[in-house]
Amino acid sequence: AGDFYKRAVVKFKTGDYSGAAVEYTRAIDLNDHSAVLYSNRGVCYYRIERYSDALNDYNNAITIDANFANAYYNKGNVLKSLERNSEALVAYDKAIEIKSTDKKYYQNRGMVKASLGDNKGAVEDYTKVLELKPNDAKALFNRGTSYVKLEEYKQAKGDFDKALAINPKYYKALINRGICSVQLDDSKEAKKDFTLAVSLSPMDGEGYYYRALATLNDVNLIKSENRKKQNIALIKENIYAQKAACSDFEKAKQFDYSQAFTALSEYCTK
């Protein structure tokens, strides 16, 4: 079984997951009492989206070794991919019960909790990841995203600030920090983030869409602060901002960003 195992490892490392699964099958034929072999073949099946086969392998691994934390974790990953989030949560809980020091267990459990609407629980899990690895940009981003869902925008922006200090080209963190700035009535900073996001990913409509919203937020702020002032300069500023926003909505539409279609009809029809 050892030779087949070695071949499987080599094939997996080169990205030949189907070939690696074949080698693990040969190894299992010689030794069907190895939880590691079943679990490793399950990972191969997971990579090629043979989820049912992967689940069977993880269950076999758990049957052989009920304290195999990684098998529960991997089982959770399959269930998460199948959007069977409640079942995935049970699997991640078990992995953490057995081994409470692996950050990836908390990271993925947090993502499942967020999917189930438990953003407070998700924040707790991402915080645990950050206790284990303080500069984990993904955990900072995920926690910030859960804070956004909880409408705790200052905390969220703080996490996105930290994530971007680690990785200044973190596109989704720029988008989400910009969203926080809009909510905190700082449209100028929001537009800076959305503009940088657009420069990083010019074929993605999301940055254009949110930059347009930030521009419209400026218009609304101007209107609310100057309701009694009908001077020509203000009107011109509003018209300019409106055109800039509609131009961005149009670009977002060109890149099939679905929300842009509604925005164009709502804000840009005469």
Side-chain angles (χ1 to χ4, degrees), residues 39 48 72-73 75 94 97 113 133 142 187 189 208 229 231 239:
S39 184
I48 57 177
Y72 288 103
Y73 166 75
K75 180 179 178 179
K94 187 64 178 179
E97 178 187 321
K113 285 181 178 179
K133 186 184 177 185
N142 284 339
S187 295
E189 286 303 309
Y208 297 106
K229 297 179 182 178
N231 59 72
I239 291 171

Tab-separated table of all heavy atoms in Angstrom, residues 39 48 72-73 75 94 97 113 133 142 187 189 208 229 231 239:
chain	number	residue	atom	x	y	z
A	39	SER	N	-9.697	9.141	3.988
A	39	SER	CA	-9.816	10.595	4.072
A	39	SER	C	-9.096	11.278	2.911
A	39	SER	O	-9.624	12.216	2.300
A	39	SER	CB	-9.255	11.096	5.398
A	39	SER	OG	-9.443	12.493	5.518
A	48	ILE	N	-12.551	17.025	-7.370
A	48	ILE	CA	-13.147	16.818	-8.692
A	48	ILE	C	-14.678	16.791	-8.607
A	48	ILE	O	-15.363	16.354	-9.527
A	48	ILE	CB	-12.613	15.536	-9.377
A	48	ILE	CG1	-12.849	14.301	-8.520
A	48	ILE	CG2	-11.131	15.694	-9.706
A	48	ILE	CD1	-12.401	12.988	-9.188
A	72	TYR	N	-13.743	14.876	9.984
A	72	TYR	CA	-14.962	15.644	10.250
A	72	TYR	C	-14.910	16.995	9.541
A	72	TYR	O	-15.913	17.465	8.967
A	72	TYR	CB	-15.144	15.862	11.748
A	72	TYR	CG	-15.543	14.629	12.515
A	72	TYR	CD1	-14.620	13.928	13.282
A	72	TYR	CD2	-16.862	14.161	12.481
A	72	TYR	CE1	-14.980	12.791	13.997
A	72	TYR	CE2	-17.228	13.018	13.190
A	72	TYR	CZ	-16.292	12.343	13.950
A	72	TYR	OH	-16.654	11.220	14.647
A	73	TYR	N	-13.744	17.636	9.576
A	73	TYR	CA	-13.570	18.923	8.901
A	73	TYR	C	-13.820	18.784	7.399
A	73	TYR	O	-14.575	19.571	6.805
A	73	TYR	CB	-12.162	19.455	9.162
A	73	TYR	CG	-11.750	20.593	8.261
A	73	TYR	CD1	-12.261	21.873	8.452
A	73	TYR	CD2	-10.849	20.395	7.209
A	73	TYR	CE1	-11.888	22.930	7.632
A	73	TYR	CE2	-10.470	21.443	6.381
A	73	TYR	CZ	-10.994	22.703	6.595
A	73	TYR	OH	-10.631	23.738	5.773
A	75	LYS	N	-15.452	16.444	5.887
A	75	LYS	CA	-16.868	16.136	5.682
A	75	LYS	C	-17.681	17.429	5.710
A	75	LYS	O	-18.575	17.636	4.880
A	75	LYS	CB	-17.357	15.172	6.766
A	75	LYS	CG	-18.825	14.790	6.647
A	75	LYS	CD	-19.238	13.805	7.733
A	75	LYS	CE	-20.722	13.449	7.642
A	75	LYS	NZ	-21.126	12.464	8.686
A	94	LYS	N	-17.822	18.921	15.635
A	94	LYS	CA	-17.135	17.701	16.087
A	94	LYS	C	-15.630	17.827	15.885
A	94	LYS	O	-14.841	17.420	16.754
A	94	LYS	CB	-17.682	16.488	15.328
A	94	LYS	CG	-17.165	15.159	15.838
A	94	LYS	CD	-17.595	14.881	17.275
A	94	LYS	CE	-17.118	13.527	17.761
A	94	LYS	NZ	-17.508	13.256	19.162
A	97	GLU	N	-14.370	19.990	18.608
A	97	GLU	CA	-14.422	19.284	19.893
A	97	GLU	C	-13.197	18.391	20.078
A	97	GLU	O	-12.638	18.295	21.181
A	97	GLU	CB	-15.700	18.435	19.944
A	97	GLU	CG	-15.874	17.609	21.208
A	97	GLU	CD	-17.066	16.669	21.116
A	97	GLU	OE1	-18.110	17.078	20.549
A	97	GLU	OE2	-16.968	15.518	21.588
A	113	LYS	N	-21.866	29.419	9.776
A	113	LYS	CA	-22.747	30.162	10.680
A	113	LYS	C	-23.282	31.418	10.003
A	113	LYS	O	-24.471	31.748	10.124
A	113	LYS	CB	-22.003	30.525	11.969
A	113	LYS	CG	-21.793	29.357	12.924
A	113	LYS	CD	-21.075	29.811	14.194
A	113	LYS	CE	-20.898	28.665	15.176
A	113	LYS	NZ	-20.177	29.090	16.405
A	133	LYS	N	-4.041	33.185	14.753
A	133	LYS	CA	-3.184	33.808	13.740
A	133	LYS	C	-3.638	35.255	13.536
A	133	LYS	O	-4.536	35.515	12.726
A	133	LYS	CB	-3.252	33.037	12.411
A	133	LYS	CG	-2.253	33.570	11.374
A	133	LYS	CD	-2.405	32.849	10.043
A	133	LYS	CE	-1.452	33.444	9.003
A	133	LYS	NZ	-1.653	32.848	7.664
A	142	ASN	N	-13.685	38.206	6.676
A	142	ASN	CA	-14.919	37.500	7.015
A	142	ASN	C	-15.596	38.110	8.239
A	142	ASN	O	-16.815	38.276	8.278
A	142	ASN	CB	-14.630	36.016	7.255
A	142	ASN	CG	-14.404	35.252	5.966
A	142	ASN	OD1	-14.810	35.684	4.894
A	142	ASN	ND2	-13.752	34.106	6.058
A	187	SER	N	-18.716	59.508	1.970
A	187	SER	CA	-18.746	59.104	0.566
A	187	SER	C	-17.426	59.350	-0.152
A	187	SER	O	-17.079	58.640	-1.089
A	187	SER	CB	-19.880	59.827	-0.169
A	187	SER	OG	-21.126	59.431	0.349
A	189	GLU	N	-14.342	58.925	1.037
A	189	GLU	CA	-13.487	57.753	1.259
A	189	GLU	C	-14.041	56.527	0.546
A	189	GLU	O	-13.289	55.705	0.033
A	189	GLU	CB	-13.347	57.474	2.759
A	189	GLU	CG	-12.444	58.438	3.490
A	189	GLU	CD	-11.039	58.491	2.916
A	189	GLU	OE1	-10.431	57.407	2.746
A	189	GLU	OE2	-10.544	59.593	2.619
A	208	TYR	N	-17.970	49.545	-10.056
A	208	TYR	CA	-18.677	50.653	-10.709
A	208	TYR	C	-20.025	50.909	-10.035
A	208	TYR	O	-20.420	52.062	-9.815
A	208	TYR	CB	-18.908	50.339	-12.192
A	208	TYR	CG	-17.648	50.183	-13.003
A	208	TYR	CD1	-17.211	48.931	-13.420
A	208	TYR	CD2	-16.892	51.302	-13.373
A	208	TYR	CE1	-16.064	48.778	-14.173
A	208	TYR	CE2	-15.735	51.170	-14.135
A	208	TYR	CZ	-15.326	49.891	-14.528
A	208	TYR	OH	-14.180	49.741	-15.270
A	229	LYS	N	-31.516	76.082	-0.595
A	229	LYS	CA	-30.588	76.807	-1.467
A	229	LYS	C	-30.757	76.296	-2.890
A	229	LYS	O	-30.373	75.172	-3.199
A	229	LYS	CB	-29.139	76.596	-1.012
A	229	LYS	CG	-28.863	77.140	0.395
A	229	LYS	CD	-27.429	76.875	0.776
A	229	LYS	CE	-27.131	77.355	2.191
A	229	LYS	NZ	-25.744	77.068	2.594
A	231	ASN	N	-29.324	77.516	-5.668
A	231	ASN	CA	-28.395	78.276	-6.511
A	231	ASN	C	-27.928	77.440	-7.701
A	231	ASN	O	-27.966	76.207	-7.692
A	231	ASN	CB	-27.197	78.771	-5.696
A	231	ASN	CG	-26.432	77.626	-5.064
A	231	ASN	OD1	-25.745	76.891	-5.757
A	231	ASN	ND2	-26.552	77.468	-3.752
A	239	ILE	N	-26.232	67.777	-11.205
A	239	ILE	CA	-26.341	67.215	-12.547
A	239	ILE	C	-25.074	66.447	-12.909
A	239	ILE	O	-25.125	65.346	-13.454
A	239	ILE	CB	-26.615	68.334	-13.582
A	239	ILE	CG1	-28.027	68.893	-13.370
A	239	ILE	CG2	-26.445	67.808	-14.999
A	239	ILE	CD1	-28.320	70.145	-14.176
